[in-house]
Amino acid sequence: MGNVYIFDHPLIQHKLAILRDKETGTKDFRELVKEISMLMAYEATRNLPLEEVEIETPLQKTTVRMLKGEDIAIVPILRAGLGMVDGILSLIPNAKVGHIGLYRDPETKKPVEYYCKLPEDIDKRQMFVLDPMLATGGSSSAAIQMLKDKGARNIIFMCMIASPEGIEVVHRDHPDIDIFIAAKDECLDENCYILPGLGDAGDRLYGTK
Ligand code: PRP
Ligand code: URA
């Protein structure tokens, strides 16, 4: 069974608190999502494999350990997941970036797929699926399934705020996946929004409401 890791680092929690505040405007919201993503990536990459590489310092040859950076791919779920990309790329600039387009049908709350473009060799890569919100779990579970159907074997899901219901759905559908989150919230409301949550992440990122 995959694990849930909650990042309680004070910097992450502080920034998340400002992110939740309804007075936080689009510009600050976007910057905070980027910063939190970078901090979460720092924590979530703790166990990434290193490889030994021979280099030459100004004084002598030596063997050093470097990330197998070319083996990582990040996959934001559009739209809101896009806000997490730059923060992660600032730490892992060689990562490939795929995109999965899903929106939640307002009536059924089920995910509807509208786009999918992935790097070619996802079976050989460590994949990070990104979405700031895990509510019913429908979107993230569907995105993870799309990656598996196309051959991905090593997948981690990273999100900022998760509901208990969403975590259960992803665990049920994908017991092999580890989930990295910044906060586990209380529940969903009647419209399947996370409480207390932060509202609609896509709208707050892009100022569309
Ligand atoms: C939001 C969010 C997740 C999804 C979570 O996207 O970014 O993708 O809802 O809900 P779920 O766990 O119940 O599936 P939304 O459908 O609002 O699309 P958007 O990012 O384009 O605004
Ligand atoms: N999507 C969001 O952006 N926020 C929620 O609380 C639930 C789904």
Side-chain angles (χ1 to χ4, degrees):
M1 177 65 89
N3 291 312
V4 181
Y5 298 93
I6 304 180
F7 294 144
D8 54 4
H9 191 289
L11 281 176
I12 295 178
Q13 293 305 314
H14 179 81
K15 290 176 190 295
L16 186 64
I18 306 171
L19 193 72
R20 288 180 188 273
D21 193 325
K22 68 176 185 183
E23 301 301 336
T24 299
T26 301
K27 176 177 172 290
D28 289 341
F29 191 91
R30 216 179 280 146
E31 281 173 12
L32 286 160
V33 167
K34 180 178 170 183
E35 290 167 6
I36 296 168
S37 306
M38 187 175 68
L39 293 168
M40 287 184 73
Y42 178 74
E43 298 269 13
T45 49
R46 190 174 290 281
N47 295 320
L48 283 181
L50 295 168
E51 61 183 347
E52 296 206 331
V53 178
E54 198 162 291
I55 60 152
E56 217 172 320
T57 74
L59 301 178
Q60 67 170 66
K61 281 189 178 167
T62 187
T63 304
V64 292
R65 296 188 305 154
M66 296 184 85
L67 260 188
K68 288 175 150 183
E70 68 281 11
D71 291 337
I72 296 171
I74 60 178
V75 181
I77 301 177
L78 309 180
R79 286 177 297 169
L82 274 181
M84 299 174 70
V85 169
D86 285 352
I88 297 177
L89 284 181
S90 65
L91 290 188
I92 318 170
N94 292 333
K96 297 275 191 284
V97 185
H99 295 85
I100 288 180
L102 292 172
Y103 70 88
R104 231 173 45 155
D105 182 281
E107 297 301 321
T108 65
K109 315 298 181 206
K110 301 279 183 220
V112 181
E113 178 189 338
Y114 61 89
Y115 188 75
C116 182
K117 183 84 179 174
L118 301 170
E120 272 175 9
D121 46 358
I122 60 172
D123 55 318
K124 299 185 190 68
R125 291 181 182 275
Q126 174 63 61
M127 310 294 292
F128 287 85
V129 176
L130 314 175
D131 196 323
M133 309 304 279
L134 173 60
T136 66
S139 304
S140 35
S141 182
I144 293 166
Q145 191 58 53
M146 287 164 72
L147 292 183
K148 285 183 173 176
D149 290 345
K150 291 180 189 301
R153 288 177 294 164
N154 297 314
I155 304 171
I156 284 170
F157 179 58
M158 247 176 81
C159 88
M160 295 185 182
I161 299 182
S163 72
E165 295 90 330
I167 291 173
E168 208 177 305
V169 165
V170 174
H171 268 164
R172 183 200 64 204
D173 295 349
H174 305 289
D176 51 319
I177 301 293
D178 284 339
I179 303 174
F180 293 90
I181 63 178
K184 181 174 172 180
D185 273 14
E186 285 161 24
C187 58
L188 299 176
D189 72 5
E190 63 281 9
N191 295 312
C192 293
Y193 274 82
I194 300 172
L195 293 177
L198 51 70
D200 189 304
D203 284 340
R204 293 197 65 187
L205 262 173
Y206 299 111
T208 41
K209 224 172 225 172

